[in-house]
Amino acid sequence: DEKTAVLRWVERPNHTQCQVCHQEENAGFLAGKHGMRLAVGLPALTPADARLPMKPDSQHRQMTCISCHSAHRFDTRLAAVDSCLQCHDDSHSRQYRESPHARLWAAELAGKAPAGSGVSCATCHLPRVWHEDEAGVERILVEHNQNNTLRPNEKMLRPVCLQCHGLAFSIDALADPALV
């Protein structure tokens, strides 16, 4: 049963074990691009299945919860940038390290900027959102369904861009392919 699954050591847990404690996050993951194959009972998505350019050495990695979070070390900083860039090799992803957002992220990680001031890949593509559970308890969760803010990119305006930028700048930036 589910309680036994939590108590028994599992070297490489899958999404069903993760969902015992992270039900909402798992539901978002399964609804998004990374988890969509698992949601319908197919083998996990791999970067080889992607339409965007992916790094050649990542082609056969399976997209599961532990692809980004590791099995037993939950480093959200690693999951926020490095996990993304170990697979993604499109121009947008390659340009991140030289962006103003990356400089803010580096400053935060180095302790030279306040917590929450950095901008990682996850800040924009897996934003934190308010969630209310069945009991009416509200909390902030990471939205693991990147489809909610990915395409069209205008879907990012309210939950992502306007958290830091003004409306005019955000609309202009989202309309400019060079800035995106």
Side-chain angles (χ1 to χ4, degrees):
D1 72 341
E2 289 181 357
K3 290 186 181 194
T4 306
V6 173
L7 299 175
R8 196 178 70 236
W9 178 263
V10 178
E11 188 64 33
R12 296 191 52 82
N14 64 30
H15 68 283
T16 60
Q17 285 129 345
C18 298
Q19 81 177 0
V20 171
C21 296
H22 303 282
Q23 189 170 4
E24 293 87 2
E25 293 90 337
N26 187 61
F29 171 73
L30 293 175
K33 290 185 181 290
H34 293 130
M36 64 186 180
R37 290 178 54 90
L38 292 171
V40 295
L42 295 172
L45 180 78
T46 66
D49 298 320
R51 287 189 251 161
L52 287 175
M54 297 288 164
K55 293 185 177 165
D57 59 343
S58 73
Q59 295 299 306
H60 300 292
R61 290 178 54 100
Q62 291 192 334
M63 298 294 99
T64 66
C65 301
I66 64 173
S67 301
C68 299
H69 292 286
S70 173
H72 302 288
R73 203 179 102 231
F74 305 105
D75 184 346
T76 57
R77 290 177 176 197
L78 174 72
V81 173
D82 295 333
S83 291
C84 305
L85 298 180
Q86 69 187 353
C87 294
H88 287 267
D89 200 25
D90 57 286
S91 63
H92 176 77
S93 299
R94 286 192 311 273
Q95 292 171 8
Y96 171 78
R97 296 254 189 235
E98 305 304 318
S99 73
H101 286 158
R103 287 190 288 280
L104 290 168
W105 180 246
E108 179 181 338
L109 293 182
K112 297 177 181 175
S117 64
V119 183
S120 67
C121 303
T123 304
C124 298
H125 298 291
L126 301 170
R128 295 179 185 270
V129 295
W130 282 99
H131 174 79
E132 183 176 323
D133 67 16
E134 300 86 33
V137 176
E138 284 190 356
R139 61 187 177 120
I140 295 178
L141 297 176
V142 171
E143 174 54 79
H144 283 80
N145 180 356
Q146 68 278 34
N147 296 345
N148 285 344
T149 56
L150 192 59
R151 299 265 190 269
N153 66 2
E154 294 84 15
K155 290 166 57 175
M156 295 179 76
L157 188 62
R158 189 170 307 206
V160 177
C161 305
L162 291 178
Q163 301 306 308
C164 300
H165 301 288
L167 181 61
F169 175 86
S170 298
I171 290 172
D172 287 346
L174 289 172
D176 186 342
L179 289 176
V180 169

